[in-house]
Amino acid sequence: YELDFEADAQEQQLLPYPTWLPGVEGEDMRLPGPLSFVQSDWFLVVSGIIVAFNIMCMYIQVSSDITKEDADALSKVNEVCLVFYTAEVIARMMHFGTHFCRHAVDARWNVFDFVIVTAGIMDTWVLPLMNHEVHKASSYWLPLLRLVRVLRFLRVVKL
């Protein structure tokens, strides 16, 4: 019996993704499918690195006295990261399907990511396309949207 327990403990250490929940004995919480990589450990690590890099770029953009060329380059980096985040959320929606908001382990993170990515899309692409009057009226919401985007660092905690 002790050997089985030790083997189970070693298996859990090799799989940092929570594959069980208290009260749900032995049930693997990973969903199978062609997009199952969105629940893999390596994908979580890659996403965390991209998030950390993006936060660093956003910090440099707002806290440093940088040239216009550097600001434009950092804006492009933010847009590339937003494209990655959008693709990730779409892949997670397709993978989880109806479990996107109901999965025992990932539901809260899925909704959190969806809100942050939507705020990023609004801030980066939608609001700038609107005419000046609408954009001016939204100046109250813009700092809030940017604050929500900075909360992206909480995704690193998921690791």
Side-chain angles (χ1 to χ4, degrees), residues 42-72:
W42 68 267
F43 188 75
L44 293 175
V45 170
V46 169
S47 295
I49 291 169
I50 291 172
V51 167
F53 176 72
N54 188 219
I55 289 170
M56 181 183 65
C57 290
M58 289 172 66
Y59 176 77
I60 291 170
Q61 195 173 14
V62 297
S63 68
S64 301
D65 187 25
I66 56 177
T67 65
K68 181 172 176 15
E69 294 83 23
D70 291 341
D72 291 342

Side-chain angles (χ1 to χ4, degrees), residues 74-91:
L74 289 171
S75 290
K76 295 296 181 201
V77 168
N78 286 331
E79 288 188 34
V80 168
C81 290
L82 186 56
V83 168
F84 173 80
Y85 301 142
T86 304
E88 177 189 9
V89 167
I90 290 169

Side-chain angles (χ1 to χ4, degrees), residues 75-120:
S75 290
K76 295 296 181 201
V77 168
N78 286 331
E79 288 188 34
V80 168
C81 290
L82 186 56
V83 168
F84 173 80
Y85 301 142
T86 304
E88 177 189 9
V89 167
I90 290 169
R92 292 179 76 78
M93 290 172 115
M94 292 171 63
H95 173 65
F96 284 101
T98 59
H99 296 283
F100 185 77
C101 297
R102 297 185 299 126
H103 190 264
V105 176
D106 289 319
R108 290 183 180 140
W109 287 112
N110 289 342
V111 172
F112 180 73
D113 288 346
F114 180 79
V115 168
I116 288 175
V117 169
T118 302

Side-chain angles (χ1 to χ4, degrees), residues 102-159:
R102 297 185 299 126
H103 190 264
V105 176
D106 289 319
R108 290 183 180 140
W109 287 112
N110 289 342
V111 172
F112 180 73
D113 288 346
F114 180 79
V115 168
I116 288 175
V117 169
T118 302
I121 290 170
M122 292 295 292
D123 181 30
T124 305
W125 295 322
V126 175
L127 292 177
L129 291 177
M130 295 179 161
N131 64 34
H132 184 66
E133 295 304 317
V134 174
H135 197 350
K136 190 175 171 182
S138 67
S139 64
Y140 173 77
W141 295 105
L142 220 49
L144 182 61
L145 287 176
R146 290 186 180 140
L147 175 64
V148 169
R149 286 180 63 199
V150 171
L151 290 177
R152 208 177 272 144
F153 80 91
L154 289 176
R155 290 186 63 199
V156 176
V157 174
K158 183 178 181 178
L159 298 175

